[in-house]
Amino acid sequence: MKKTVTINLFICLFFVLMAPLKTFAGFPIGKYRNVVVPTFSYYHQKDRFDDKDHIIKGAPGTGFTSYSSNLYIGYGISRRLDFIATIPYLYQQNVVVPGNTLIDAGLGDMTIGLSYNLANFNYVRFLSIGVSGIVPLYKSNNGISPLGLGSYGTEIKLMYCGNLPKEVSSKGYFNAEFGYRKYYNTQGPDQISFTGTVGYPITKHNQLSLDILLFRSFSSNKAFNNNIFAARDYSFFKPQLNFGHTFTRRFSMFVGGFYVPFGVNTGVGYGGSVLAVIKL
């Protein structure tokens, strides 16, 4: 039973990491233990949603594409307190008009902070809170950069993760997470998000999951920006389907794909991720 719970919790970690914010799930890593999660992600958008959720077709031959890698590191300081950090690297292609492509590459916004387990329920479900700082690892011109918002910020997350209730299913897991981000700039933004995940093991080493992300970013700057990393005022709903395989107790790999069917002032995006979960 304990082994099953542990596997499910690391699966929860994976599916939350696949969200654009590349965050962490709500279970404790364990005293003096380490988790390393390298991720590669792909995102593309050509069309966009206007401020009334109507799709506006992009000009032929234009579009925005991002290839990003992300390194998540988690270390268990105690049985309840964990140190966490994420470091992203971005490579972006923005075709503004046919034949004119802007290419940008470099480190993005690093997050670094602590996660504390508030309570556990028979070591089957966990309630945690995380607090992190956001640090831009690139140069910006008056807060403008294609690699991010160019501002320092803070993030607070409340996370609830674990096995599904037996009344629902004898197997499976869930994760629910509410987050708030604030960037210290005159234009903000302030961002809120909700991530919900439900997964089910289909064999001893394989699992499927469906997760949803609801995201809202508030800013006085209402201008559309097809670069999702530098946009300020927008919202979207994103479902994602995932598949994972556990090779050993210490090494797993996962793939997932997503599409954005609804949004406001943002791109009609799609893409996917490949990542590994390594327990040290």
Side-chain angles (χ1 to χ4, degrees):
M1 177 64 181
K2 185 175 181 181
K3 180 179 178 181
T4 302
V5 171
T6 301
I7 292 173
N8 286 347
L9 290 177
F10 274 94
I11 294 169
C12 287
L13 168 65
F14 151 67
F15 290 119
V16 178
L17 280 167
M18 289 196 68
L21 301 183
K22 296 297 182 292
T23 183
F24 50 93
F27 64 94
I29 295 173
K31 188 175 182 179
Y32 303 145
R33 295 182 180 179
N34 300 275
V35 177
V36 178
V37 183
T39 309
F40 174 79
S41 301
Y42 169 80
Y43 172 84
H44 178 77
Q45 66 96 178
K46 178 180 177 182
D47 303 329
R48 68 182 181 91
F49 297 103
D50 64 11
D51 58 359
K52 295 180 176 58
D53 190 32
H54 298 146
I55 295 179
I56 306 298
K57 291 293 184 179
T62 64
F64 174 81
T65 304
S66 172
Y67 305 89
S68 61
S69 58
N70 188 83
L71 181 64
Y72 167 92
I73 300 172
Y75 174 73
I77 300 174
S78 70
R79 295 182 63 183
R80 290 194 170 190
L81 183 65
D82 300 325
F83 166 84
I84 54 93
T86 60
I87 304 174
Y89 183 86
L90 308 174
Y91 179 86
Q92 302 171 351
Q93 295 177 324
N94 191 359
V95 184
V96 291
V97 295
N100 184 7
T101 301
L102 303 178
I103 296 178
D104 298 281
L107 295 172
D109 287 326
M110 176 180 68
T111 61
I112 182 170
L114 298 171
S115 175
Y116 184 75
N117 177 230
L118 297 172
N120 76 77
F121 304 90
N122 296 322
Y123 295 96
V124 174
R125 300 179 191 92
F126 297 84
L127 178 66
S128 299
I129 188 170
V131 179
S132 300
I134 304 168
V135 182
L137 301 179
Y138 48 86
K139 293 182 179 180
S140 62
N141 183 13
N142 293 325
I144 299 175
S145 171
L147 300 175
L149 296 172
S151 302
Y152 289 89
T154 55
E155 181 179 58
I156 300 175
K157 288 186 176 291
L158 186 65
M159 301 159 283
Y160 187 45
C161 178
N163 290 356
L164 288 171
K166 291 183 179 180
E167 304 80 43
V168 177
S169 175
S170 60
K171 299 180 181 179
Y173 51 88
F174 73 94
N175 181 78
E177 176 180 305
F178 177 80
Y180 170 72
R181 275 192 174 196
K182 180 176 181 60
Y183 288 88
Y184 300 107
N185 184 285
T186 55
Q187 296 182 347
D190 293 333
Q191 299 176 337
I192 57 174
S193 63
F194 172 79
T195 304
T197 298
V198 176
Y200 192 84
I202 53 177
T203 68
K204 181 178 179 180
H205 299 289
N206 300 309
Q207 53 270 330
L208 289 175
S209 155
L210 177 66
D211 61 356
I212 60 171
L213 172 63
L214 298 172
F215 190 87
R216 180 68 170 100
S217 182
F218 301 88
S219 174
S220 59
N221 185 347
K222 309 295 183 180
F224 170 76
N225 191 332
N226 59 0
N227 182 349
I228 192 68
F229 299 98
R232 293 185 180 273
D233 192 89
Y234 62 98
S235 63
F236 64 84
F237 164 72
K238 188 198 76 172
Q240 181 164 303
L241 182 64
N242 312 286
F243 171 80
H245 179 78
T246 301
F247 292 92
T248 70
R249 292 180 60 188
R250 296 183 178 273
F251 180 73
S252 303
M253 289 196 70
F254 304 86
V255 296
F258 68 86
Y259 180 73
V260 180
F262 306 109
V264 173
N265 204 34
T266 192
V268 184
Y270 63 87
S273 298
V274 178
L275 64 82
V277 177
I278 305 168
K279 298 184 286 182
L280 303 176

